[in-house]
Amino acid sequence: MGQAVVLYLSNTGHTQGVAEKIAATTGAKLMAIKPQQAYTAADLNWQDNDSRSYHEMHGGRVRPAIEPVDGAAISQATTVYLGFPLWWATAPRPIDTLLDSVDLSGKTVLPFCTSGSSAIDEAVRQLRVDYPAVNWQDGQRFTSNVTAEEIQDWSSKA
Ligand SMILES: Cc1cc2nc3c(=O)[nH]c(=O)nc-3n(C[C@H](O)[C@H](O)[C@H](O)COP(=O)(O)O)c2cc1C
């Protein structure tokens, strides 16, 4: 395997914890995707049809601005572990912002998520439709207590 990076979005720490374990287990470079405007608790209220997250996910083609990422490290990588929380069973819009701004075509991308209970399959189905040049692998939902052994099994599929 060539170089690998872990790119992740995490607003309340769950996905970050898993991303850190993936980096520690695989040796991949850890890189956060940071929205320029961080999400507040009110922004993340999925029960409020007027919250920022609700509008972003139900408002068509929204691309919230993100902080610049290390494009050189990403372009050198052959494997990308791409992590995010599930929002309405799909990837939050800042993931689309990232995928629109860096070229992952031809790279092996292993999507992973944390969630309350939803499976990752619908999120990956949409990512495959929207970004067909990426070599998407099947996704994996992890819980915070995922073990190094489970990560090893999963990452060895890259
Ligand atoms: C706006 C919003 C929508 C969510 N939608 C779902 C969902 O559809 N299914 C689910 O299982 N969990 C859902 N969740 C729960 C998150 O996926 C879960 O808390 C996740 O671990 C948060 O990750 P983070 O701490 O890295 O931000 C949602 C959370 C938020 C804030």
Side-chain angles (χ1 to χ4, degrees), residues 54-72:
Y54 186 93
H55 282 298
E56 287 184 1
M57 299 305 285
H58 297 85
R61 195 181 182 286
V62 180
R63 296 292 183 268
I66 58 173
E67 298 291 343
V69 288
D70 183 350

Side-chain angles (χ1 to χ4, degrees), residues 61-90:
R61 195 181 182 286
V62 180
R63 296 292 183 268
I66 58 173
E67 298 291 343
V69 288
D70 183 350
I74 296 171
S75 66
Q76 281 165 22
T78 53
T79 302
V80 177
Y81 304 101
L82 180 64
F84 44 83
L86 290 185
W87 285 7
W88 289 277
T90 57

Side-chain angles (χ1 to χ4, degrees), residues 29-51:
K29 182 180 165 72
L30 187 63
M31 298 168 69
I33 302 163
K34 292 194 177 141
Q36 278 184 11
Q37 192 188 343
Y39 291 90
T40 64
D43 290 341
L44 295 173
N45 185 353
W46 66 87
Q47 289 162 319
D48 176 1
N49 289 3
D50 207 22
S51 71

Side-chain angles (χ1 to χ4, degrees), residues 10-15 44 46 53 85-89 114-118:
S10 183
N11 305 295
T12 50
H14 296 107
T15 312
L44 295 173
W46 66 87
S53 58
L86 290 185
W87 285 7
W88 289 277
T114 65
S115 74
S117 62
S118 299

